Amino acid sequence: MPLAQFDLPDLYQIRGITVNNGVVEAIEIPKGNAYYSSVPGAPRSLILFLGDEQPVAGKELIVSREILAMAQSLGCREVYTFAAMVTGVSHHAVPKVWGCTNVASMLETMKQHDIMPMSEGQISGLNGLLVGVAAALGLKASCLLGELPYYATQIAYYPAACAVLEKFMELTGMSLDLATLRQQSKTTQIEIDTYIEHVKREALRKRDDSQSQEEPAEIAKNEDEGGEDIMN
C-alpha cells in the first residue's frame, strides 16, 4: 500500500517538455514513492522505495538521508538496493548475480546463495550510495547486481531483475510473485532475437545492394578499356 511520496523538485533534472499536436503538456516533476507491505505469517514486512529519476549530481546524499530517515522511523533494520552488472553474457544465459554489503559477515551468506562478491568497482547513483550512507546510520545494507548483456543496457532487461529478486527472496525468506516478471523475461529474449535477426537481414541487404551497384560500374570500366585497345 502507498506509504509516502517524496516531492523534491529541486533535486531532479527536468530533461525537457512534451508536445502533443502543438500543445505543450504540463511538466511532470520526478518524484519518489514509498510503499509498505506486511503479509500475515511472513518473516518480515517490506518497505519499497521507487524513484522516477536519479537525483542531479551533488544531491544524492540529501535524498539518501531522507529515504533512510523514513525507513529508520518505521523500524527498518536492513536495506537492499538493486543495480546492474554489464558483461558480455548472452541474453539466452541465466543471469548471474553479484553482491556487496557494508557488513563483512554478510559476504559468506551471499556465497552460500551463489551470489558472487563484487571484487571492485563503483556503483553509481542511489543504488550504491544508500548502502554507504546506511552504514553511517548503523543499518545493515547490501546491493545485489543482476547481469545483463552490454547490448541490452538501453532496455528494461527483465531477466536480470528476475534473477536479483530470486536471490533477494533467498536472503530474506520473503515470498514474491514473480510469474509476470518471468513471462516478461521470456518476451524480452524473443524481442532481442527478433531485433538481432532484423539487423542481420538489413546488413545482408545493404551488402547485396552495394555489390549490385559495383558490378555495372566494373563492366562499364572494362568496356571502356576494351574500346581504347581497339582504337589503338
Side-chain angles (χ1 to χ4, degrees):
M1 67 177 182
L3 178 64
Q5 180 172 298
F6 290 75
D7 289 317
L8 303 170
D10 296 335
L11 305 184
Y12 295 98
Q13 179 182 358
I14 307 300
R15 303 181 184 279
I17 61 172
T18 300
V19 180
N20 189 0
N21 292 325
V23 178
V24 176
E25 297 182 354
I27 295 176
E28 293 187 8
I29 306 298
K31 56 184 179 296
N33 292 294
Y35 302 88
Y36 176 79
S37 175
S38 179
V39 180
R44 309 185 187 198
S45 55
L46 178 67
I47 300 171
L48 178 66
F49 177 81
L50 296 175
D52 292 338
E53 296 273 356
Q54 291 281 357
V56 296
K59 301 295 185 179
E60 300 95 340
L61 190 58
I62 297 174
V63 179
S64 296
R65 286 173 173 166
E66 287 283 343
I67 294 171
L68 293 174
M70 177 205 67
Q72 276 193 310
S73 69
L74 295 170
C76 178
R77 299 188 302 276
E78 189 170 7
V79 175
Y80 283 90
T81 68
F82 305 136
M85 176 71 79
V86 180
T87 73
V89 69
S90 165
H91 60 283
H92 288 294
V94 177
K96 299 175 183 176
V97 177
W98 281 262
C100 62
T101 178
N102 61 16
V103 179
S105 59
M106 183 64 175
L107 289 175
E108 188 58 37
T109 302
M110 288 184 175
K111 291 178 183 177
Q112 293 171 4
H113 293 277
D114 295 323
I115 300 171
M116 297 176 292
M118 181 179 173
S119 57
E120 60 182 8
Q122 294 184 333
I123 303 175
S124 61
L126 296 181
N127 315 57
L129 191 58
L130 280 168
V131 178
V133 175
L137 299 175
L139 286 170
K140 178 181 178 181
S142 303
C143 179
L144 302 179
L145 302 95
E147 185 179 34
L148 77 158
Y150 65 88
Y151 51 82
T153 57
Q154 300 302 312
I155 65 172
Y157 192 68
Y158 296 105
C162 196
V164 163
L165 290 176
E166 286 172 347
K167 295 302 181 184
F168 172 74
M169 289 193 293
E170 292 179 17
L171 291 171
T172 62
M174 300 189 71
S175 179
L176 304 175
D177 183 0
L178 301 183
T180 300
L181 194 58
R182 291 190 178 105
Q183 182 57 50
Q184 289 174 319
S185 297
K186 294 177 182 178
T187 301
T188 297
Q189 292 172 329
I190 293 172
E191 290 176 344
I192 292 177
D193 281 338
T194 301
Y195 177 73
I196 290 175
E197 286 302 314
H198 171 73
V199 171
K200 288 180 178 178
R201 287 195 300 270
E202 282 297 300
L204 290 173
R205 182 185 64 79
K206 290 181 179 179
R207 185 198 66 182
D208 293 341
D209 289 348
S210 176
Q211 290 177 346
S212 64
Q213 291 172 2
E214 290 175 357
E215 289 175 358
E218 186 65 26
I219 293 172
K221 179 181 177 182
N222 292 336
E223 289 177 347
D224 291 341
E225 292 175 350
E228 291 174 358
D229 291 339
I230 293 172
M231 291 293 292
N232 292 333

PDB file of all heavy atoms in Angstrom, residues 194-223:
ATOM      1  N   THR A 194      14.494 -11.281 -32.252  1.00  0.00           N
ATOM      2  CA  THR A 194      13.849 -10.695 -33.429  1.00  0.00           C
ATOM      3  C   THR A 194      14.625  -9.481 -33.929  1.00  0.00           C
ATOM      4  O   THR A 194      14.830  -9.311 -35.139  1.00  0.00           O
ATOM      5  CB  THR A 194      12.400 -10.282 -33.084  1.00  0.00           C
ATOM      6  OG1 THR A 194      11.670 -11.425 -32.634  1.00  0.00           O
ATOM      7  CG2 THR A 194      11.707  -9.685 -34.299  1.00  0.00           C
ATOM      8  N   TYR A 195      15.070  -8.656 -33.001  1.00  0.00           N
ATOM      9  CA  TYR A 195      15.818  -7.452 -33.387  1.00  0.00           C
ATOM     10  C   TYR A 195      17.153  -7.824 -34.024  1.00  0.00           C
ATOM     11  O   TYR A 195      17.551  -7.241 -35.042  1.00  0.00           O
ATOM     12  CB  TYR A 195      16.050  -6.568 -32.168  1.00  0.00           C
ATOM     13  CG  TYR A 195      16.879  -5.348 -32.454  1.00  0.00           C
ATOM     14  CD1 TYR A 195      16.347  -4.280 -33.176  1.00  0.00           C
ATOM     15  CD2 TYR A 195      18.207  -5.268 -32.035  1.00  0.00           C
ATOM     16  CE1 TYR A 195      17.113  -3.161 -33.453  1.00  0.00           C
ATOM     17  CE2 TYR A 195      18.976  -4.159 -32.320  1.00  0.00           C
ATOM     18  CZ  TYR A 195      18.427  -3.107 -33.028  1.00  0.00           C
ATOM     19  OH  TYR A 195      19.184  -2.004 -33.307  1.00  0.00           O
ATOM     20  N   ILE A 196      17.865  -8.795 -33.435  1.00  0.00           N
ATOM     21  CA  ILE A 196      19.159  -9.219 -33.978  1.00  0.00           C
ATOM     22  C   ILE A 196      18.996  -9.771 -35.394  1.00  0.00           C
ATOM     23  O   ILE A 196      19.784  -9.477 -36.296  1.00  0.00           O
ATOM     24  CB  ILE A 196      19.814 -10.261 -33.054  1.00  0.00           C
ATOM     25  CG1 ILE A 196      20.267  -9.588 -31.752  1.00  0.00           C
ATOM     26  CG2 ILE A 196      21.010 -10.917 -33.742  1.00  0.00           C
ATOM     27  CD1 ILE A 196      20.826 -10.545 -30.723  1.00  0.00           C
ATOM     28  N   GLU A 197      17.947 -10.574 -35.618  1.00  0.00           N
ATOM     29  CA  GLU A 197      17.685 -11.112 -36.953  1.00  0.00           C
ATOM     30  C   GLU A 197      17.392  -9.990 -37.940  1.00  0.00           C
ATOM     31  O   GLU A 197      17.819 -10.038 -39.103  1.00  0.00           O
ATOM     32  CB  GLU A 197      16.523 -12.104 -36.905  1.00  0.00           C
ATOM     33  CG  GLU A 197      16.882 -13.446 -36.284  1.00  0.00           C
ATOM     34  CD  GLU A 197      18.030 -14.131 -37.012  1.00  0.00           C
ATOM     35  OE1 GLU A 197      18.000 -14.169 -38.271  1.00  0.00           O
ATOM     36  OE2 GLU A 197      18.957 -14.599 -36.331  1.00  0.00           O
ATOM     37  N   HIS A 198      16.658  -8.985 -37.485  1.00  0.00           N
ATOM     38  CA  HIS A 198      16.360  -7.832 -38.350  1.00  0.00           C
ATOM     39  C   HIS A 198      17.638  -7.105 -38.739  1.00  0.00           C
ATOM     40  O   HIS A 198      17.828  -6.736 -39.913  1.00  0.00           O
ATOM     41  CB  HIS A 198      15.418  -6.875 -37.617  1.00  0.00           C
ATOM     42  CG  HIS A 198      15.218  -5.562 -38.313  1.00  0.00           C
ATOM     43  ND1 HIS A 198      14.474  -5.436 -39.464  1.00  0.00           N
ATOM     44  CD2 HIS A 198      15.706  -4.316 -38.034  1.00  0.00           C
ATOM     45  CE1 HIS A 198      14.489  -4.174 -39.865  1.00  0.00           C
ATOM     46  NE2 HIS A 198      15.228  -3.483 -39.016  1.00  0.00           N
ATOM     47  N   VAL A 199      18.529  -6.902 -37.771  1.00  0.00           N
ATOM     48  CA  VAL A 199      19.800  -6.220 -38.054  1.00  0.00           C
ATOM     49  C   VAL A 199      20.635  -7.023 -39.047  1.00  0.00           C
ATOM     50  O   VAL A 199      21.237  -6.471 -39.970  1.00  0.00           O
ATOM     51  CB  VAL A 199      20.581  -5.993 -36.744  1.00  0.00           C
ATOM     52  CG1 VAL A 199      21.990  -5.484 -37.045  1.00  0.00           C
ATOM     53  CG2 VAL A 199      19.847  -5.003 -35.848  1.00  0.00           C
ATOM     54  N   LYS A 200      20.651  -8.344 -38.868  1.00  0.00           N
ATOM     55  CA  LYS A 200      21.413  -9.202 -39.782  1.00  0.00           C
ATOM     56  C   LYS A 200      20.866  -9.109 -41.206  1.00  0.00           C
ATOM     57  O   LYS A 200      21.623  -9.004 -42.179  1.00  0.00           O
ATOM     58  CB  LYS A 200      21.371 -10.650 -39.300  1.00  0.00           C
ATOM     59  CG  LYS A 200      22.206 -10.927 -38.063  1.00  0.00           C
ATOM     60  CD  LYS A 200      22.094 -12.390 -37.669  1.00  0.00           C
ATOM     61  CE  LYS A 200      22.952 -12.711 -36.450  1.00  0.00           C
ATOM     62  NZ  LYS A 200      22.811 -14.142 -36.040  1.00  0.00           N
ATOM     63  N   ARG A 201      19.531  -9.162 -41.325  1.00  0.00           N
ATOM     64  CA  ARG A 201      18.916  -9.089 -42.659  1.00  0.00           C
ATOM     65  C   ARG A 201      19.225  -7.755 -43.331  1.00  0.00           C
ATOM     66  O   ARG A 201      19.502  -7.692 -44.533  1.00  0.00           O
ATOM     67  CB  ARG A 201      17.402  -9.308 -42.557  1.00  0.00           C
ATOM     68  CG  ARG A 201      17.003 -10.751 -42.279  1.00  0.00           C
ATOM     69  CD  ARG A 201      15.520 -10.959 -42.567  1.00  0.00           C
ATOM     70  NE  ARG A 201      14.685 -10.099 -41.739  1.00  0.00           N
ATOM     71  CZ  ARG A 201      14.216 -10.446 -40.549  1.00  0.00           C
ATOM     72  NH1 ARG A 201      14.496 -11.636 -40.049  1.00  0.00           N
ATOM     73  NH2 ARG A 201      13.454  -9.618 -39.865  1.00  0.00           N
ATOM     74  N   GLU A 202      19.164  -6.676 -42.537  1.00  0.00           N
ATOM     75  CA  GLU A 202      19.452  -5.352 -43.088  1.00  0.00           C
ATOM     76  C   GLU A 202      20.901  -5.250 -43.544  1.00  0.00           C
ATOM     77  O   GLU A 202      21.198  -4.647 -44.583  1.00  0.00           O
ATOM     78  CB  GLU A 202      19.151  -4.271 -42.040  1.00  0.00           C
ATOM     79  CG  GLU A 202      17.687  -3.946 -41.894  1.00  0.00           C
ATOM     80  CD  GLU A 202      17.107  -3.374 -43.175  1.00  0.00           C
ATOM     81  OE1 GLU A 202      17.592  -2.321 -43.627  1.00  0.00           O
ATOM     82  OE2 GLU A 202      16.181  -3.990 -43.740  1.00  0.00           O
ATOM     83  N   ALA A 203      21.802  -5.845 -42.749  1.00  0.00           N
ATOM     84  CA  ALA A 203      23.219  -5.811 -43.112  1.00  0.00           C
ATOM     85  C   ALA A 203      23.465  -6.582 -44.409  1.00  0.00           C
ATOM     86  O   ALA A 203      24.214  -6.129 -45.291  1.00  0.00           O
ATOM     87  CB  ALA A 203      24.063  -6.392 -41.987  1.00  0.00           C
ATOM     88  N   LEU A 204      22.826  -7.743 -44.564  1.00  0.00           N
ATOM     89  CA  LEU A 204      22.969  -8.539 -45.780  1.00  0.00           C
ATOM     90  C   LEU A 204      22.367  -7.811 -46.982  1.00  0.00           C
ATOM     91  O   LEU A 204      22.925  -7.843 -48.089  1.00  0.00           O
ATOM     92  CB  LEU A 204      22.300  -9.904 -45.595  1.00  0.00           C
ATOM     93  CG  LEU A 204      23.002 -10.869 -44.627  1.00  0.00           C
ATOM     94  CD1 LEU A 204      22.141 -12.115 -44.414  1.00  0.00           C
ATOM     95  CD2 LEU A 204      24.371 -11.256 -45.165  1.00  0.00           C
ATOM     96  N   ARG A 205      21.218  -7.169 -46.754  1.00  0.00           N
ATOM     97  CA  ARG A 205      20.574  -6.446 -47.850  1.00  0.00           C
ATOM     98  C   ARG A 205      21.465  -5.300 -48.337  1.00  0.00           C
ATOM     99  O   ARG A 205      21.623  -5.094 -49.550  1.00  0.00           O
ATOM    100  CB  ARG A 205      19.223  -5.899 -47.397  1.00  0.00           C
ATOM    101  CG  ARG A 205      18.446  -5.167 -48.487  1.00  0.00           C
ATOM    102  CD  ARG A 205      17.171  -4.552 -47.949  1.00  0.00           C
ATOM    103  NE  ARG A 205      17.451  -3.519 -46.955  1.00  0.00           N
ATOM    104  CZ  ARG A 205      17.829  -2.276 -47.280  1.00  0.00           C
ATOM    105  NH1 ARG A 205      17.995  -1.925 -48.556  1.00  0.00           N
ATOM    106  NH2 ARG A 205      18.052  -1.398 -46.335  1.00  0.00           N
ATOM    107  N   LYS A 206      22.051  -4.557 -47.407  1.00  0.00           N
ATOM    108  CA  LYS A 206      22.916  -3.442 -47.788  1.00  0.00           C
ATOM    109  C   LYS A 206      24.170  -3.938 -48.495  1.00  0.00           C
ATOM    110  O   LYS A 206      24.654  -3.308 -49.430  1.00  0.00           O
ATOM    111  CB  LYS A 206      23.291  -2.635 -46.543  1.00  0.00           C
ATOM    112  CG  LYS A 206      22.121  -1.850 -45.955  1.00  0.00           C
ATOM    113  CD  LYS A 206      22.546  -1.056 -44.732  1.00  0.00           C
ATOM    114  CE  LYS A 206      21.362  -0.263 -44.180  1.00  0.00           C
ATOM    115  NZ  LYS A 206      21.736   0.524 -42.958  1.00  0.00           N
ATOM    116  N   ARG A 207      24.683  -5.091 -48.050  1.00  0.00           N
ATOM    117  CA  ARG A 207      25.854  -5.657 -48.725  1.00  0.00           C
ATOM    118  C   ARG A 207      25.525  -6.053 -50.157  1.00  0.00           C
ATOM    119  O   ARG A 207      26.287  -5.760 -51.087  1.00  0.00           O
ATOM    120  CB  ARG A 207      26.357  -6.871 -47.945  1.00  0.00           C
ATOM    121  CG  ARG A 207      27.655  -7.470 -48.493  1.00  0.00           C
ATOM    122  CD  ARG A 207      27.869  -8.865 -47.981  1.00  0.00           C
ATOM    123  NE  ARG A 207      26.846  -9.782 -48.497  1.00  0.00           N
ATOM    124  CZ  ARG A 207      26.777 -11.075 -48.178  1.00  0.00           C
ATOM    125  NH1 ARG A 207      27.649 -11.584 -47.329  1.00  0.00           N
ATOM    126  NH2 ARG A 207      25.822 -11.847 -48.682  1.00  0.00           N
ATOM    127  N   ASP A 208      24.367  -6.708 -50.316  1.00  0.00           N
ATOM    128  CA  ASP A 208      23.949  -7.125 -51.652  1.00  0.00           C
ATOM    129  C   ASP A 208      23.696  -5.920 -52.554  1.00  0.00           C
ATOM    130  O   ASP A 208      24.054  -5.921 -53.733  1.00  0.00           O
ATOM    131  CB  ASP A 208      22.698  -7.997 -51.570  1.00  0.00           C
ATOM    132  CG  ASP A 208      22.967  -9.333 -50.884  1.00  0.00           C
ATOM    133  OD1 ASP A 208      24.142  -9.722 -50.798  1.00  0.00           O
ATOM    134  OD2 ASP A 208      21.989  -9.963 -50.417  1.00  0.00           O
ATOM    135  N   ASP A 209      23.070  -4.879 -52.000  1.00  0.00           N
ATOM    136  CA  ASP A 209      22.810  -3.666 -52.789  1.00  0.00           C
ATOM    137  C   ASP A 209      24.117  -3.025 -53.211  1.00  0.00           C
ATOM    138  O   ASP A 209      24.254  -2.542 -54.343  1.00  0.00           O
ATOM    139  CB  ASP A 209      21.987  -2.670 -51.967  1.00  0.00           C
ATOM    140  CG  ASP A 209      20.552  -3.124 -51.782  1.00  0.00           C
ATOM    141  OD1 ASP A 209      20.139  -4.072 -52.473  1.00  0.00           O
ATOM    142  OD2 ASP A 209      19.845  -2.543 -50.926  1.00  0.00           O
ATOM    143  N   SER A 210      25.087  -3.009 -52.317  1.00  0.00           N
ATOM    144  CA  SER A 210      26.379  -2.401 -52.626  1.00  0.00           C
ATOM    145  C   SER A 210      27.093  -3.173 -53.727  1.00  0.00           C
ATOM    146  O   SER A 210      27.663  -2.580 -54.645  1.00  0.00           O
ATOM    147  CB  SER A 210      27.242  -2.354 -51.362  1.00  0.00           C
ATOM    148  OG  SER A 210      28.524  -1.848 -51.646  1.00  0.00           O
ATOM    149  N   GLN A 211      27.018  -4.504 -53.640  1.00  0.00           N
ATOM    150  CA  GLN A 211      27.671  -5.331 -54.664  1.00  0.00           C
ATOM    151  C   GLN A 211      27.006  -5.169 -56.022  1.00  0.00           C
ATOM    152  O   GLN A 211      27.666  -5.123 -57.056  1.00  0.00           O
ATOM    153  CB  GLN A 211      27.649  -6.795 -54.228  1.00  0.00           C
ATOM    154  CG  GLN A 211      28.567  -7.101 -53.055  1.00  0.00           C
ATOM    155  CD  GLN A 211      28.472  -8.544 -52.610  1.00  0.00           C
ATOM    156  OE1 GLN A 211      27.544  -9.268 -52.983  1.00  0.00           O
ATOM    157  NE2 GLN A 211      29.423  -8.980 -51.794  1.00  0.00           N
ATOM    158  N   SER A 212      25.683  -5.087 -56.035  1.00  0.00           N
ATOM    159  CA  SER A 212      24.955  -4.949 -57.300  1.00  0.00           C
ATOM    160  C   SER A 212      25.236  -3.605 -57.960  1.00  0.00           C
ATOM    161  O   SER A 212      25.199  -3.482 -59.185  1.00  0.00           O
ATOM    162  CB  SER A 212      23.449  -5.115 -57.064  1.00  0.00           C
ATOM    163  OG  SER A 212      22.951  -4.080 -56.241  1.00  0.00           O
ATOM    164  N   GLN A 213      25.543  -2.573 -57.162  1.00  0.00           N
ATOM    165  CA  GLN A 213      25.870  -1.259 -57.728  1.00  0.00           C
ATOM    166  C   GLN A 213      27.299  -1.231 -58.254  1.00  0.00           C
ATOM    167  O   GLN A 213      27.612  -0.513 -59.201  1.00  0.00           O
ATOM    168  CB  GLN A 213      25.685  -0.180 -56.670  1.00  0.00           C
ATOM    169  CG  GLN A 213      24.232   0.043 -56.285  1.00  0.00           C
ATOM    170  CD  GLN A 213      24.092   0.976 -55.100  1.00  0.00           C
ATOM    171  OE1 GLN A 213      25.078   1.491 -54.583  1.00  0.00           O
ATOM    172  NE2 GLN A 213      22.853   1.199 -54.663  1.00  0.00           N
ATOM    173  N   GLU A 214      28.176  -2.025 -57.651  1.00  0.00           N
ATOM    174  CA  GLU A 214      29.574  -2.036 -58.079  1.00  0.00           C
ATOM    175  C   GLU A 214      29.768  -2.811 -59.382  1.00  0.00           C
ATOM    176  O   GLU A 214      30.612  -2.459 -60.201  1.00  0.00           O
ATOM    177  CB  GLU A 214      30.447  -2.661 -56.986  1.00  0.00           C
ATOM    178  CG  GLU A 214      30.571  -1.785 -55.753  1.00  0.00           C
ATOM    179  CD  GLU A 214      31.331  -2.481 -54.645  1.00  0.00           C
ATOM    180  OE1 GLU A 214      31.704  -3.658 -54.840  1.00  0.00           O
ATOM    181  OE2 GLU A 214      31.542  -1.862 -53.591  1.00  0.00           O
ATOM    182  N   GLU A 215      28.973  -3.874 -59.620  1.00  0.00           N
ATOM    183  CA  GLU A 215      29.155  -4.726 -60.798  1.00  0.00           C
ATOM    184  C   GLU A 215      28.959  -3.972 -62.115  1.00  0.00           C
ATOM    185  O   GLU A 215      29.786  -4.064 -63.020  1.00  0.00           O
ATOM    186  CB  GLU A 215      28.230  -5.931 -60.706  1.00  0.00           C
ATOM    187  CG  GLU A 215      28.670  -6.927 -59.638  1.00  0.00           C
ATOM    188  CD  GLU A 215      27.682  -8.056 -59.467  1.00  0.00           C
ATOM    189  OE1 GLU A 215      26.640  -8.032 -60.152  1.00  0.00           O
ATOM    190  OE2 GLU A 215      27.946  -8.951 -58.648  1.00  0.00           O
ATOM    191  N   PRO A 216      27.854  -3.188 -62.320  1.00  0.00           N
ATOM    192  CA  PRO A 216      27.700  -2.441 -63.581  1.00  0.00           C
ATOM    193  C   PRO A 216      28.840  -1.459 -63.806  1.00  0.00           C
ATOM    194  O   PRO A 216      29.288  -1.257 -64.929  1.00  0.00           O
ATOM    195  CB  PRO A 216      26.367  -1.707 -63.391  1.00  0.00           C
ATOM    196  CG  PRO A 216      25.617  -2.552 -62.405  1.00  0.00           C
ATOM    197  CD  PRO A 216      26.662  -3.067 -61.475  1.00  0.00           C
ATOM    198  N   ALA A 217      29.333  -0.847 -62.722  1.00  0.00           N
ATOM    199  CA  ALA A 217      30.426   0.112 -62.864  1.00  0.00           C
ATOM    200  C   ALA A 217      31.682  -0.592 -63.345  1.00  0.00           C
ATOM    201  O   ALA A 217      32.437  -0.078 -64.176  1.00  0.00           O
ATOM    202  CB  ALA A 217      30.682   0.803 -61.523  1.00  0.00           C
ATOM    203  N   GLU A 218      31.931  -1.815 -62.859  1.00  0.00           N
ATOM    204  CA  GLU A 218      33.098  -2.587 -63.272  1.00  0.00           C
ATOM    205  C   GLU A 218      32.976  -3.008 -64.734  1.00  0.00           C
ATOM    206  O   GLU A 218      33.945  -2.952 -65.492  1.00  0.00           O
ATOM    207  CB  GLU A 218      33.226  -3.821 -62.369  1.00  0.00           C
ATOM    208  CG  GLU A 218      34.491  -4.635 -62.611  1.00  0.00           C
ATOM    209  CD  GLU A 218      35.749  -3.868 -62.261  1.00  0.00           C
ATOM    210  OE1 GLU A 218      35.671  -2.960 -61.409  1.00  0.00           O
ATOM    211  OE2 GLU A 218      36.794  -4.157 -62.873  1.00  0.00           O
ATOM    212  N   ILE A 219      31.760  -3.387 -65.154  1.00  0.00           N
ATOM    213  CA  ILE A 219      31.526  -3.777 -66.543  1.00  0.00           C
ATOM    214  C   ILE A 219      31.776  -2.600 -67.474  1.00  0.00           C
ATOM    215  O   ILE A 219      32.430  -2.712 -68.515  1.00  0.00           O
ATOM    216  CB  ILE A 219      30.094  -4.308 -66.728  1.00  0.00           C
ATOM    217  CG1 ILE A 219      29.939  -5.639 -65.969  1.00  0.00           C
ATOM    218  CG2 ILE A 219      29.761  -4.483 -68.198  1.00  0.00           C
ATOM    219  CD1 ILE A 219      28.527  -6.153 -65.932  1.00  0.00           C
ATOM    220  N   ALA A 220      31.238  -1.434 -67.069  1.00  0.00           N
ATOM    221  CA  ALA A 220      31.430  -0.244 -67.894  1.00  0.00           C
ATOM    222  C   ALA A 220      32.900   0.107 -68.013  1.00  0.00           C
ATOM    223  O   ALA A 220      33.385   0.512 -69.076  1.00  0.00           O
ATOM    224  CB  ALA A 220      30.658   0.923 -67.283  1.00  0.00           C
ATOM    225  N   LYS A 221      33.650  -0.061 -66.945  1.00  0.00           N
ATOM    226  CA  LYS A 221      35.075   0.236 -66.965  1.00  0.00           C
ATOM    227  C   LYS A 221      35.808  -0.689 -67.932  1.00  0.00           C
ATOM    228  O   LYS A 221      36.652  -0.262 -68.714  1.00  0.00           O
ATOM    229  CB  LYS A 221      35.640   0.082 -65.556  1.00  0.00           C
ATOM    230  CG  LYS A 221      37.142   0.345 -65.472  1.00  0.00           C
ATOM    231  CD  LYS A 221      37.644   0.146 -64.044  1.00  0.00           C
ATOM    232  CE  LYS A 221      39.159   0.337 -63.990  1.00  0.00           C
ATOM    233  NZ  LYS A 221      39.693   0.105 -62.629  1.00  0.00           N
ATOM    234  N   ASN A 222      35.453  -1.979 -67.890  1.00  0.00           N
ATOM    235  CA  ASN A 222      36.082  -2.950 -68.777  1.00  0.00           C
ATOM    236  C   ASN A 222      35.783  -2.652 -70.245  1.00  0.00           C
ATOM    237  O   ASN A 222      36.632  -2.804 -71.129  1.00  0.00           O
ATOM    238  CB  ASN A 222      35.641  -4.369 -68.428  1.00  0.00           C
ATOM    239  CG  ASN A 222      36.181  -4.815 -67.075  1.00  0.00           C
ATOM    240  OD1 ASN A 222      37.193  -4.294 -66.618  1.00  0.00           O
ATOM    241  ND2 ASN A 222      35.500  -5.766 -66.443  1.00  0.00           N
ATOM    242  N   GLU A 223      34.537  -2.216 -70.504  1.00  0.00           N
ATOM    243  CA  GLU A 223      34.154  -1.899 -71.872  1.00  0.00           C
ATOM    244  C   GLU A 223      34.939  -0.705 -72.386  1.00  0.00           C
ATOM    245  O   GLU A 223      35.393  -0.659 -73.525  1.00  0.00           O
ATOM    246  CB  GLU A 223      32.653  -1.626 -71.953  1.00  0.00           C
ATOM    247  CG  GLU A 223      31.811  -2.884 -71.776  1.00  0.00           C
ATOM    248  CD  GLU A 223      30.337  -2.584 -71.790  1.00  0.00           C
ATOM    249  OE1 GLU A 223      29.992  -1.363 -71.686  1.00  0.00           O
ATOM    250  OE2 GLU A 223      29.523  -3.517 -71.885  1.00  0.00           O
TER     251      GLU A 223
END
